[in-house]
């Protein structure tokens, strides 16, 4: 099982990245609030389909990233290991770029990005199941919050990737 998850880790990352980028980029054209419109458009239906795909991929990717103790890399704070994170944050204030390895700031951002992807997927799925009910309005609000958190974490992740690429080019 571990070998299979290691082999599909890269493709899972790619599908999660493409799905997440598409969902964020097309969200201004979504016309859903507490229900799906009577005549949903392309973006409405696409958002539901890609969102559900993103949820499934996110769950499998979470499993792939956390088995075998690797959860400590993405969620070091769960194990009380915050020294690398603290060093990276302190280094920022000294004008140093965080390291891309070792469970520091970039790894924490990656873990939070994965959690916010799952939160947006779960809240969206629950909202879909509760469509047309009074509870759907609340789940819509939860979904919007989770989706905005995902977009923020995605932006931070992209900044981290860009800084990592700069380091690779310099070396």
């Amino acid at each position: 099982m571990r070998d299979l998850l290691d082999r599909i880790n890269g493709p899972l990352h790619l599908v999660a990245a493409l799905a997440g980028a598409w969902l964020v980029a097309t969200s201004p054209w979504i016309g859903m609030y507490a229900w799906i419109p009577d005549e949903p458009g392309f973006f409405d239906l696409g958002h539901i389909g890609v969102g559900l795909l993103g949820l499934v991929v996110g769950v499998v990717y979470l499993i792939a990233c956390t088995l075998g103790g690797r959860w400590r890399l993405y969620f070091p704070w769960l194990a009380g290991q915050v020294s690398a994170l603290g060093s990276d944050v302190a280094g920022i204030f000294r004008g140093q770029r965080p390291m891309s390895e070792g469970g520091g700031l970039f790894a924490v951002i990656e873990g939070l990005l994965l959690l916010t992807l799952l939160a947006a997927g779960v809240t969206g799925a629950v909202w879909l199941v509760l469509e047309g009910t009074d509870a759907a309005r609340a789940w819509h609000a939860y979904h919007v919050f989770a989706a905005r958190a995902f977009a923020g974490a995605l932006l931070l992740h992209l900044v981290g990737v860009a800084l990592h690429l700069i380091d690779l080019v310099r070396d």
Side-chain angles (χ1 to χ4, degrees):
M1 178 76 161
R2 175 84 239 152
D3 290 337
L4 172 64
L5 290 173
D6 284 342
R7 279 197 313 271
I8 64 171
N9 202 6
L12 285 171
H13 183 268
L14 177 63
V15 173
L18 292 174
W22 191 88
L23 291 165
V24 170
T26 62
S27 64
W29 293 280
I30 303 301
M32 297 180 283
Y33 297 100
W35 59 88
I36 299 172
D38 290 336
E39 294 183 27
F42 171 77
F43 289 116
D44 296 319
L45 293 174
H47 193 83
I48 293 168
V50 174
L52 291 172
L53 171 69
L55 175 58
V56 171
V57 168
V59 168
V60 176
Y61 191 50
L62 176 69
I63 293 167
C65 289
T66 57
L67 281 181
R70 291 201 296 181
W71 63 271
R72 287 179 186 87
L73 175 64
Y74 298 98
F75 309 105
W77 46 274
L78 287 175
Q81 300 168 347
V82 294
S83 61
L85 174 62
S87 295
D88 281 352
V89 171
I92 289 172
F93 290 107
R94 291 190 304 268
Q96 299 170 339
R97 237 186 329 271
M99 298 300 296
S100 59
E101 303 294 331
L105 181 61
F106 290 155
V108 170
I109 290 170
E110 289 173 348
L112 291 176
L113 178 61
L114 184 52
L115 290 179
T116 56
L117 171 67
L118 291 171
V122 168
T123 56
V126 172
W127 172 31
L128 180 64
V129 168
L130 296 176
E131 175 201 1
T133 68
D134 290 335
R137 293 186 193 282
W139 283 95
H140 169 259
Y142 303 147
H143 180 66
V144 168
F145 179 81
R148 288 179 179 163
F150 172 75
L154 180 61
L155 179 63
L156 289 174
H157 180 63
L158 291 174
V159 168
V161 168
L163 291 173
H164 180 66
L165 290 175
I166 289 172
D167 285 342
L168 288 176
V169 170
R170 285 187 177 173
D171 289 343

